[in-house]
Amino acid sequence: MSWFLKSAAITLLTLAPPPRVNAFLRAAPAAVSRRPSRREAESSSDTSGAAASRVVILGGGFGGLYTALRLAEFSKEQPVEITLVDSKDKFVFLPLLYELTTGQAPLDEVAPTFDSLLANTNVKFMQGEVDGIDVGGNVVSVGGVDVPFDRCVVALGGEPLKDTVPGAAENALAFYTLEDAYQLQRELARLDTAPGDVRVVVVGGSYSGVELATSIASRLGSRAHLTLVERGDEVLGRSPPHNVESAKAALASAKVDCKCATSVLRVGAGEIVVCPNEDDSAATTLDADLVLWTAGSRPNAMLGGLAGVTCDAAGRLVVDNTLRVQSPEGRAAGGVVFALGDNAVLELGPLPPNAQVAFQQSEYAAWNVWASLNDEKPLAFRSVALQPTLCPVFTPAHAALACRYTALGEMLTLGANDASVAGPQGLEALKLSGPLAAAARRLVYAARMPTSEQRVKAGVNWLQSPAKELLRLAQETRLNLKK
């Protein structure tokens, strides 16, 4: 029964997060036909000509885009000008970047344009680099243009950490953006025509490193000699045991040489120098036709120069449990700036560095921005939770919601038609591997796409994948028979 209740709670949180239920409960009375009170009529008359509140959302990744879309849903009753700012013209569904690189997923599924995603909303897209934020003046500078705001949401994401090792910035390829994926495709095409075996070194044994190593091994085949370098004692050091075991099996099957407890001293042209941790005297030089860098990231560098806010040692904005950015005096920085994802750290401590956090925080960020724009007092009852760690429930209309993160399990790709899925704490019995896990992963990601149109597109691609794989195998078999 406990397993069933936990499964039900997680399903409820996934399909109906507390902010959406709050919005539904708030809107429900409006659906009942009744005559408005005198006070409501006067309030409506007073605000009918009021200027729309301006919300500027910086960053079009999971945190920023999903916050914009949820806020657009929450703000149908009152005019709100929502502007989404990003330096690129496309949203990137990062967990599927491996499939895009190896040709297993099309561009329009993995990286649709912001214009297409926002076409049926009241969200305006603005392309440009964010130069800075004047917290006190309520102004964002975007490409030299000042954009005023009443509320600002910071979700600029991170950038790869490559300047800590000599030569890494010049000689290693990061895997963090759509442009990185395009560059890797070109490098793989170059290796396809290279004579003899090819040598690829992947630095970083966390999710990105393991997924990238297994995907490239699947893509290049037996010609590739892959090495995975990880500073920790084992790959996927913080992952559930099932995923660690599945990853180790996939890496061994692909004959990837895993060098754990190993540091990188420098990266040169066609080589990388590594050594056991804390032992430079035992340095080894590895020949490399391609070096891929997945070892760490940091928040957007612009955040470090902001005045009137508090950052932690890693450069992330310190936020309270409603995602409001805190000032050095320990209070909300003007009460108008929110942050989430890689750009934020809760006062109680950091959350896991994964897309789940941005997904869940975007719901709360959208609701709390909306609630902060309304002056109505909350109803006279408190939030309650049947199981606080699994099922945070609801607060009154227009009250801020304390953001609670709920681990929903972990999925990772391990190459073509292979993956591993592990359930969250309390549901450890949920374990999938191989083709079934790969299908489940793609299906879950299809359901997580930002719009209904994009979900349909991803679902169709998912359904077509087995047919495409059978066609590919048939073509390979025909070519082998001809030989």
Side-chain angles (χ1 to χ4, degrees):
M1 181 61 70
S2 175
W3 191 92
F4 173 78
L5 290 176
K6 289 177 180 178
S7 299
I10 288 177
T11 301
L12 175 63
L13 282 173
T14 303
L15 299 178
R20 294 202 203 183
V21 178
N22 249 30
F24 173 78
L25 294 177
R26 176 180 173 276
V32 179
S33 177
R34 64 181 178 87
R35 183 177 179 180
S37 66
R38 179 179 177 181
R39 182 175 180 180
E40 290 173 328
E42 290 174 352
S43 174
S44 176
S45 175
D46 291 341
T47 60
S48 59
S53 299
R54 301 161 299 183
V55 179
V56 177
I57 300 173
L58 307 179
F62 288 119
L65 175 64
Y66 285 60
T67 297
L69 293 172
R70 298 298 170 261
L71 183 58
E73 294 175 3
F74 295 155
S75 60
K76 291 179 180 178
E77 298 177 12
Q78 177 179 330
V80 177
E81 293 181 2
I82 306 170
T83 302
L84 178 66
V85 179
D86 197 89
S87 60
K88 310 298 182 183
D89 68 334
K90 294 181 177 67
F91 163 74
V92 180
F93 199 95
L94 288 175
L96 293 179
L97 205 57
Y98 312 98
E99 280 83 355
L100 175 67
T101 303
T102 56
Q104 300 172 60
L107 178 63
D108 61 350
E109 177 185 348
V110 181
T113 65
F114 287 112
D115 286 341
S116 66
L117 295 174
L118 303 175
N120 299 317
T121 72
N122 64 333
V123 181
K124 172 187 174 184
F125 175 63
M126 180 178 185
Q127 186 174 355
E129 292 282 352
V130 178
D131 304 317
I133 308 171
D134 182 352
V135 176
N138 288 21
V139 173
V140 175
S141 177
V142 180
V145 177
D146 287 342
V147 182
F149 63 81
D150 298 298
R151 298 292 184 273
C152 178
V153 179
V154 182
L156 290 167
E159 52 193 31
L161 190 61
K162 293 170 61 178
D163 55 5
T164 57
V165 174
E170 298 82 10
N171 300 299
L173 175 63
F175 191 75
Y176 210 78
T177 66
L178 182 61
E179 289 72 24
D180 293 337
Y182 287 151
Q183 180 62 32
L184 180 53
Q185 284 181 333
R186 291 190 289 269
E187 291 295 326
L188 293 177
R190 175 180 65 83
L191 295 180
D192 284 338
T193 60
D197 294 341
V198 295
R199 297 149 301 181
V200 179
V201 177
V202 179
V203 180
S206 61
Y207 308 108
S208 296
V210 170
E211 291 181 297
L212 194 56
T214 51
S215 295
I216 289 178
S218 177
R219 162 66 173 76
L220 291 177
S222 59
R223 292 182 59 236
H225 293 278
L226 275 91
T227 302
L228 181 64
V229 179
E230 164 58 23
R231 186 174 177 80
D233 293 333
E234 67 173 355
V235 297
L236 299 178
R238 297 181 180 179
S239 294
H242 170 71
N243 281 357
V244 174
E245 293 168 6
S246 297
K248 287 181 177 179
L251 291 167
S253 176
K255 298 182 179 180
V256 177
D257 180 15
C258 294
K259 295 183 179 297
C260 295
T262 301
S263 299
V264 178
L265 295 179
R266 64 180 179 276
V267 182
E271 66 178 25
I272 180 171
V273 182
V274 301
C275 70
N277 289 345
E278 315 303 333
D279 188 6
D280 296 5
S281 62
T284 302
T285 300
L286 305 176
D287 293 333
D289 298 297
L290 176 63
V291 176
L292 297 167
W293 196 270
T294 69
S297 63
R298 61 185 167 205
N300 191 287
M302 184 273 295
L303 302 180
L306 297 183
V309 300
T310 301
C311 292
D312 72 350
R316 297 169 295 191
L317 297 171
V318 177
V319 300
D320 65 13
N321 61 5
T322 67
L323 302 179
R324 285 181 188 257
V325 174
Q326 300 297 286
S327 71
E329 293 77 26
R331 59 178 184 271
V336 298
V337 180
F338 297 74
L340 67 158
D342 294 338
N343 294 165
V345 59
L346 291 169
E347 292 176 307
L348 299 178
L351 294 173
N354 57 41
Q356 282 190 43
V357 172
F359 276 131
Q360 295 182 36
Q361 286 184 335
S362 67
E363 301 278 353
Y364 289 88
W367 175 263
N368 290 338
V369 167
W370 169 244
S372 73
L373 293 171
N374 290 271
D375 296 328
E376 296 181 26
K377 294 181 180 179
L379 299 174
F381 65 90
R382 294 180 179 274
S383 298
V384 295
L386 298 176
Q387 296 184 32
T389 58
L390 280 176
C391 192
V393 199
F394 318 113
T395 61
H398 300 302
L401 275 172
C403 182
R404 292 181 179 133
Y405 169 70
T406 302
L408 300 177
E410 181 184 285
M411 305 183 295
L412 66 157
T413 181
L414 296 173
N417 205 31
D418 191 12
S420 182
V421 175
Q425 184 177 3
L427 297 176
E428 291 87 352
L430 176 59
K431 301 175 184 178
L432 297 175
S433 300
L436 181 59
R441 174 177 172 271
R442 290 294 294 270
L443 182 60
V444 170
Y445 285 153
R448 282 291 196 179
M449 289 291 169
T451 65
S452 57
E453 293 84 357
Q454 197 65 19
R455 287 189 283 273
V456 170
K457 185 178 297 183
V460 170
N461 289 333
W462 174 74
L463 290 172
Q464 290 176 343
S465 295
K468 292 178 180 178
E469 181 66 14
L470 288 174
L471 180 61
R472 184 185 67 81
L473 291 174
Q475 291 174 337
E476 289 184 358
T477 302
R478 187 169 65 249
L479 290 174
N480 290 332
L481 290 175
K482 288 182 179 180
K483 291 179 181 179

